[in-house]
C-alpha cells in the first residue's frame, strides 16, 4: 500500500476500508482480510453497530495498533460536549481500543453554532481519545469557518470525509474540494463506486442480489435508468481499454486527483477487498481519457 503525507506530516494510505457490515463475524473477517492485504485505514461509526467486529478484526490481524489508522464519527445530533464524549467513549469501549486516530463530525448542523460543535471535537482530542479532528459532509464555506475555529482552539484538524465518485461530483460544485486544497487539508472519499454502479454488476441490468433488492436505503431501482446503464457500459469499455475493471478505474480516477488523500472502499466480500487494491497500480490518466469520463458521466 502506498502512503501520502499531509501538510502536517500525518501519513495516510491511499486506500482505506469503510466497514458497514453489522454481523460481527462477517465484519471481523472482512477487517482481518483487509488489513492482511495492505489496508491500513479502517473507518467505522457508532451508528453502524459493528464496532465489536472492527475491534476484534484489528486485534486478529496481528498488526500493531499504531500502524493502523482507525477513524470514527459522531452524528450531527451529537454536537454537545456531553453527547460527543459519550459517543466516542462508547465507540472505544465496544471496539476495545484506547483511541481513534481521527474523530469526525458527520454532517453540518445549521441549528447549532459551529463553535459548540468544534468545541466538542476539541474535547475529544484533548481527552486523548482522538489524535486528530475531522469533518464529514461539509461544504466549502462551512469548512473554512470550522477550520478557523479549530485553529483558534489549537486542535489538529487534518482531513474531510465526503462522498465523491465519477457519478457524484458534489464536492466539485459546493466549494469543498477547492477549499480543502487552499487550506492544505486532506480529503477522504466514501461511496467511490456509487453503491456498486461503478462495477460490472449492473452491466446487464439489476442482479437479483443487488443492494436495490436487499437494501434500498442508498440505491433505488428508479436510479438505474437506461441512460445510467448506458453510461456504465461506456465507462466499462474505457476501463477495459486501460487494462482495468470498471471498479479499478473508478477508484484510480479518484486517486489521480491531488486533493484526494484516501479512498474508502466499502466491500462486503473478501474477493472485492482483494480486487480493489489493484487500483493503486495504475492511477494516471491521459487528458483524452479524463475528457471521455467527463463526457460520459456528466
Amino acid at each position: 500500500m502506498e502512503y501520502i503525507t499531509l501538510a502536517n506530516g500525518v501519513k495516510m494510505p491511499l486506500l482505506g476500508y469503510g466497514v458497514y457490515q453489522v454481523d460481527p463475524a462477517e465484519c471481523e473477517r472482512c477487517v482481518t482480510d483487509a488489513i492482511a492485504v495492505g489496508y491500513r485505514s479502517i473507518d467505522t461509526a457508532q451508528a453502524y453497530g459493528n464496532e465489536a467486529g472492527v475491534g476484534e478484526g484489528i486485534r486478529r490481524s496481528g498488526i500493531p495498533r499504531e500502524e493502523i489508522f482507525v477513524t470514527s464519527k459522531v452524528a450531527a445530533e451529537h454536537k454537545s460536549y456531553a453527547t460527543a464524549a459519550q459517543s466516542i467513549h462508547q465507540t472505544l469501549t465496544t471496539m476495545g481500543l484506547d483511541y481513534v486516530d481521527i474523530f469526525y463530525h458527520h454532517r453540518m448542523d445549521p441549528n447549532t453554532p459551529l463553535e459548540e460543535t468544534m468545541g466538542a471535537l476539541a474535547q475529544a482530542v484533548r481527552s486523548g481519545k482522538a489524535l486528530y479532528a475531522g469533518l464529514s459532509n461539509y461544504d466549502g464555506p462551512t469548512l473554512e469557518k470550522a477550520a478557523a475555529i479549530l485553529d483558534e482552539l489549537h486542535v489538529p484538524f487534518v482531513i474531510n470525509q465526503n462522498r465523491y465518485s465519477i457519478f457524484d461530483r458534489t464536492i466539485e460544485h459546493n466549494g469543498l474540494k477547492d477549499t480543502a486544497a487552499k487550506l492544505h487539508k486532506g480529503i477522504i472519499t466514501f461511496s467511490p463506486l456509487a453503491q456498486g454502479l461503478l462495477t460490472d454488476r449492473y452491466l446487464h441490468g439489476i442482479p437479483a442480489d443487488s443492494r436495490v433488492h436487499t437494501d434500498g436505503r442508498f440505491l433505488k431501482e428508479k436510479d438505474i435508468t437506461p441512460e445510467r446503464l448506458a453510461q456504465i457500459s461506456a465507462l466499462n469499455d474505457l476501463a477495459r481499454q486501460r487494462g482495468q475493471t470498471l471498479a479499478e478505474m473508478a477508484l484510480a480516477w479518484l486517486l489521480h486527483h491531488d486533493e484526494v488523500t484516501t479512498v474508502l472502499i466499502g466491500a462486503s466480500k473478501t474477493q472485492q477487498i482483494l480486487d480493489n487494491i489493484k487500483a493503486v497500480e495504475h492511477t494516471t490518466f491521459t487528458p483524452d481519457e479524463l475528457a471521455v469520463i467527463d463526457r460520459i458521466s456528466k
Side-chain angles (χ1 to χ4, degrees), residues 235-253 255 276-285 289 293:
L235 289 168
N236 185 66
D237 289 342
L238 177 61
R240 291 177 63 184
Q241 294 172 24
R242 286 172 46 83
Q244 292 179 306
T245 66
L246 176 53
E248 288 168 11
M249 185 182 77
L251 296 173
W253 179 85
L255 290 171
N276 286 336
I277 203 169
K278 298 174 185 175
V280 301
E281 298 173 359
H282 185 15
T283 61
T284 58
F285 289 78
E289 288 173 335
I293 290 173

Side-chain angles (χ1 to χ4, degrees), residues 2-23:
E2 296 181 36
Y3 286 73
I4 190 169
T5 303
L6 300 178
N8 62 352
V10 176
K11 290 185 176 182
M12 292 197 69
L14 293 183
L15 288 180
Y17 183 41
V19 190
Y20 62 87
Q21 298 94 333
V22 175
D23 178 73

Side-chain angles (χ1 to χ4, degrees), residues 10-244:
V10 176
K11 290 185 176 182
M12 292 197 69
L14 293 183
L15 288 180
Y17 183 41
V19 190
Y20 62 87
Q21 298 94 333
V22 175
D23 178 73
E26 180 185 7
C27 174
E28 177 186 329
R29 182 175 64 254
C30 284
V31 170
T32 304
D33 290 342
I35 294 174
V37 297
Y39 292 84
R40 293 294 183 268
S41 175
I42 306 295
D43 181 76
T44 185
Q46 184 184 7
Y48 302 162
N50 60 16
E51 300 107 305
V54 171
E56 192 56 35
I58 291 172
R59 284 185 289 275
R60 278 192 56 192
S61 73
I63 301 297
R65 165 68 184 90
E66 61 270 18
E67 294 182 17
I68 301 174
F69 234 84
V70 182
T71 61
S72 187
K73 56 188 71 72
V74 61
E77 59 268 22
H78 295 94
K79 64 264 186 179
S80 70
Y81 299 106
T83 55
Q86 182 181 30
S87 173
I88 193 170
H89 174 74
Q90 291 176 345
T91 294
L92 292 173
T93 299
T94 307
M95 286 196 293
L97 302 179
D98 295 328
Y99 67 94
V100 294
D101 293 87
I102 300 174
F103 193 52
Y104 297 102
H105 180 251
H106 187 57
R107 294 194 304 272
M108 300 179 294
D109 181 9
N111 299 316
T112 302
L114 270 177
E115 289 79 5
E116 182 176 349
T117 304
M118 297 307 105
L121 284 180
Q123 181 62 27
V125 173
R126 289 168 182 159
S127 70
K129 294 179 179 179
L131 300 184
Y132 307 100
L135 301 176
S136 176
N137 290 329
Y138 275 54
D139 59 24
T142 314
L143 159 63
E144 190 154 19
K145 294 174 184 175
I149 296 170
L150 291 170
D151 281 345
E152 291 176 2
L153 295 173
H154 303 290
V155 175
F157 159 50
V158 294
I159 206 162
N160 306 272
Q161 186 180 107
N162 289 76
R163 187 188 305 273
Y164 193 25
S165 73
I166 288 175
F167 283 157
D168 190 338
R169 310 290 187 93
T170 301
I171 70 169
E172 297 178 1
H173 308 305
N174 68 5
L176 186 282
K177 188 177 178 184
D178 290 340
T179 303
K182 182 179 74 173
L183 299 177
H184 304 291
K185 305 299 181 183
I187 298 176
I188 184 168
T189 68
F190 64 91
S191 295
L193 302 181
Q195 302 299 320
L197 290 178
L198 290 166
T199 70
D200 59 6
R201 284 178 57 77
Y202 294 90
L203 288 174
H204 306 290
I206 305 174
D209 62 344
S210 75
R211 293 183 187 180
V212 172
H213 300 305
T214 60
D215 182 358
R217 290 175 298 168
F218 306 111
L219 184 62
K220 303 184 185 301
E221 189 166 357
K222 66 179 179 63
D223 299 325
I224 308 177
T225 62
E227 292 77 15
R228 181 63 91 195
L229 291 174
Q231 289 177 313
I232 294 170
S233 179
L235 289 168
N236 185 66
D237 289 342
L238 177 61
R240 291 177 63 184
Q241 294 172 24
R242 286 172 46 83
Q244 292 179 306

